[in-house]
Amino acid sequence: MKILVVNAGSSSLKYQLIDMEGEKVIAKGLVERIGMPQPGHQKQTVGGKVYEVSGVMIENHVQATEMMLKALQDPEKGAIRSMVEIGAVGHRVLHGGTKFSESVIVNDKVKDAIRECIPLGPLHNPANLMGIEACEKVMPETPQVAVFDTAFHQTMPPKAYMYGVPKKYFTQYGVRKYGFHGTSHRYVSKRVCEFLGISPMGQRIIICHLGNGSSLSAVVDGKCVDTSMGLTPLDGLLMGTRCGTLDPAVVQFIANNENMTVDEVLNMMNKQSGLLGIGGKSNDMRDVDAAADNYDGDAMLARDMLVYGIQKYIGSYAAAMHGVDMIVFTAGIGENNAALRERVMTGMEWLGAKLSHARNASCADGKATECVISTDDSKVKILVIPTNEEIMIARDTLELVTK
Ligand code: ADP
């Protein structure tokens, strides 16, 4: 069966068509600038063939979905002859609140529940819903599945997910830690055990998902027990443009001094902070590294803050799990930036984690493959496992529609 994986953002639609026989990606595409005043852009690759459209106004997600299906069925540069070849569609949905701890087949009740979670994911959930509804409209006979970014973290115990504010805010509004990147944490924590040929039972794993958005998770017996992102993805590590954890009083302090609203401060903390806000030049770790290697003080500070933050989380999760058996790096920075991994693991020998410099260095710069990067005598195994959220979404979708 061929499964279409859709990741609908507020102004973009990313997709992959995966042939589940051999789990091969047969088409990859992106439709950008949906609903924007300027013309949009579409690019799709199928093998070496590139299909591109630019200069057309893309009014909404229905139009973007039609463009996606047209490109997929293009006689020269497409991947399928007809839409009926698509067995099902799997959608990435940001926030499932406490309603979803697993992926589900989309029906009216599921859509209502995703809608009810909009206050928790105000930017993404409406876009995810638009993606689902656009597919329903354009391909009404094809089953749709929703896969939630929050679902994997639903196994956290209350002591990990509750915040120390009066409990009524939890009961009334669901204010608590939810965590994100769950599909990635689930894929990597499962895959690392398959790769080593061991059972997840008895394993205490720390997953470091380091990308433009970053989060860590602590996984015991294959289940998440803690994670660094919170009610929203703003919490936790310093990220590309997000500040990560700070004293909440900073919000009030800046709002009062700069005459800003809370929303404006939060916007600044989401979009102008992190590596960009401290380093001053870019949210991309490659730029920060280049500047820091050139002794730019702000870039060096941004990098130091990121490394220090990761080390502190690793230490606290090791304490929370009463030990650690594996530390796994994934996502853009985790998979490609060997120097960053080296910085993080320096001084971690107290934990029983010893990096092999040679193994680490050979797993870098776009050549990331699954590999062990610790020494043979390291008590804690350190690994790189490239994440694959799309395959996880496709597998969930296949499983649900063939049940
Ligand atoms: P997102 O959260 O948007 O999915 P990614 O997982 O793609 O982000 O990660 C983006 C980060 O990964 C950037 O900071 C970038 O510097 C880093 N990165 C991506 N590819 C490479 C590479 N080949 N070498 C070094 N760093 C990389």
Side-chain angles (χ1 to χ4, degrees):
M1 185 187 287
K2 294 188 183 86
I3 303 235
L4 182 61
V5 175
V6 171
N7 184 355
S10 52
S11 65
S12 69
L13 188 86
K14 282 191 215 146
Y15 59 93
Q16 283 192 11
L17 186 66
I18 301 178
D19 189 346
M20 294 313 282
E21 219 166 286
E23 295 191 334
K24 239 182 96 214
V25 177
I26 45 182
K28 239 182 192 181
L30 168 68
V31 185
E32 288 175 290
R33 296 199 283 275
I34 306 169
M36 303 280 254
Q38 45 311 44
H41 179 243
Q42 175 180 25
K43 188 173 177 181
Q44 174 183 283
T45 46
V46 175
K49 292 177 285 183
V50 180
Y51 174 104
E52 241 177 324
V53 175
S54 47
V56 282
M57 298 303 289
I58 310 172
E59 267 173 45
N60 50 37
H61 284 73
V62 174
Q63 190 182 340
T65 306
E66 282 164 352
M67 289 170 72
M68 166 180 76
L69 290 173
K70 184 164 179 236
L72 286 170
Q73 295 172 86
D74 188 83
E76 270 172 43
K77 296 173 175 169
I80 49 174
R81 257 166 292 142
S82 145
M83 222 159 73
V84 293
E85 286 181 47
I86 301 172
V89 187
H91 294 267
R92 179 180 183 185
V93 181
L94 181 86
H95 221 304
T98 50
K99 297 179 202 303
F100 300 103
S101 53
E102 283 177 353
S103 304
V104 286
I105 294 196
V106 174
N107 56 29
D108 286 344
K109 258 174 83 183
V110 168
K111 280 190 285 176
D112 286 345
I114 296 173
R115 210 166 283 121
E116 281 162 30
C117 291
I118 287 178
L120 296 169
L123 295 180
H124 295 84
N125 271 35
N128 303 151
L129 256 181
M130 280 192 277
I132 292 174
E133 284 172 344
C135 284
E136 283 180 336
K137 193 154 181 207
V138 179
M139 37 205 315
E141 303 301 325
T142 315
Q144 320 270 330
V145 166
V147 180
F148 299 90
D149 250 31
T150 48
F152 181 62
H153 304 302
Q154 279 296 302
T155 48
M156 281 187 290
K159 66 178 177 187
Y161 70 66
M162 288 299 285
Y163 293 135
V165 290
K167 210 173 161 203
K168 67 174 184 185
Y169 298 114
F170 167 70
T171 347
Q172 276 177 21
Y173 308 114
V175 173
R176 51 161 280 181
K177 179 192 279 282
Y178 288 96
F180 298 87
H181 294 139
T183 310
S184 173
H185 288 288
R186 177 159 60 106
Y187 172 81
V188 174
S189 56
K190 198 164 168 246
R191 180 62 209 151
V192 72
C193 294
E194 284 166 8
F195 175 66
L196 294 173
I198 56 175
S199 155
M201 294 312 286
Q203 296 299 321
R204 297 161 298 183
I205 313 176
I206 297 174
I207 309 284
C208 309
H209 176 112
L210 310 174
N212 193 29
S214 299
S215 65
L216 273 81
S217 68
V219 179
V220 179
D221 299 338
K223 294 202 163 65
C224 175
V225 294
D226 208 343
T227 190
S228 60
M229 282 179 166
L231 174 78
T232 75
L234 185 55
D235 201 4
L237 287 175
L238 185 87
M239 307 179 211
T241 61
R242 296 189 191 118
C243 60
T245 304
L246 45 68
D247 178 349
V250 172
V251 177
Q252 179 200 35
F253 194 91
I254 294 180
N256 288 346
N257 280 287
E258 292 276 311
N259 203 15
M260 287 161 83
T261 63
V262 168
D263 284 11
E264 284 167 348
V265 176
L266 265 286
N267 196 40
M268 172 274 286
M269 289 177 165
N270 266 304
K271 298 191 178 145
Q272 292 154 29
S273 302
L275 295 175
L276 175 67
I278 298 292
K281 291 189 188 70
S282 168
N283 63 316
D284 192 302
M285 194 58 204
R286 285 167 286 200
D287 301 330
V288 176
D289 268 334
D293 291 346
N294 232 351
Y295 300 102
D296 176 312
D298 290 338
M300 287 164 82
L301 173 63
R303 186 163 72 184
D304 283 350
M305 287 170 69
L306 173 63
V307 169
Y308 183 59
I310 301 168
Q311 289 178 328
K312 283 205 297 187
Y313 267 109
I314 292 177
S316 65
Y317 286 169
M321 296 189 291
H322 304 159
V324 54
D325 301 299
M326 286 181 235
I327 299 172
V328 190
F329 289 90
T330 194
I333 299 172
E335 291 165 26
N336 296 296
N337 194 326
L340 192 282
R341 292 193 301 256
E342 173 106 30
R343 286 192 175 86
V344 168
M345 296 318 302
T346 299
M348 283 283 183
E349 292 78 12
W350 64 273
L351 196 63
K354 247 166 93 182
L355 192 76
S356 154
H357 305 291
R359 285 178 185 169
N360 181 48
S362 69
C363 186
D365 292 338
K367 288 183 297 197
T369 45
E370 298 174 327
C371 52
V372 176
I373 55 169
S374 45
T375 58
D376 289 340
D377 65 343
S378 178
K379 256 175 58 202
V380 178
K381 276 204 157 52
I382 314 168
L383 298 103
V384 173
I385 299 284
T387 192
N388 195 339
E389 292 164 273
E390 289 78 15
I391 206 67
M392 206 75 232
I393 295 174
R395 283 180 193 163
D396 282 7
T397 304
L398 180 70
E399 195 188 320
L400 283 166
V401 300
T402 50
K403 237 183 194 172

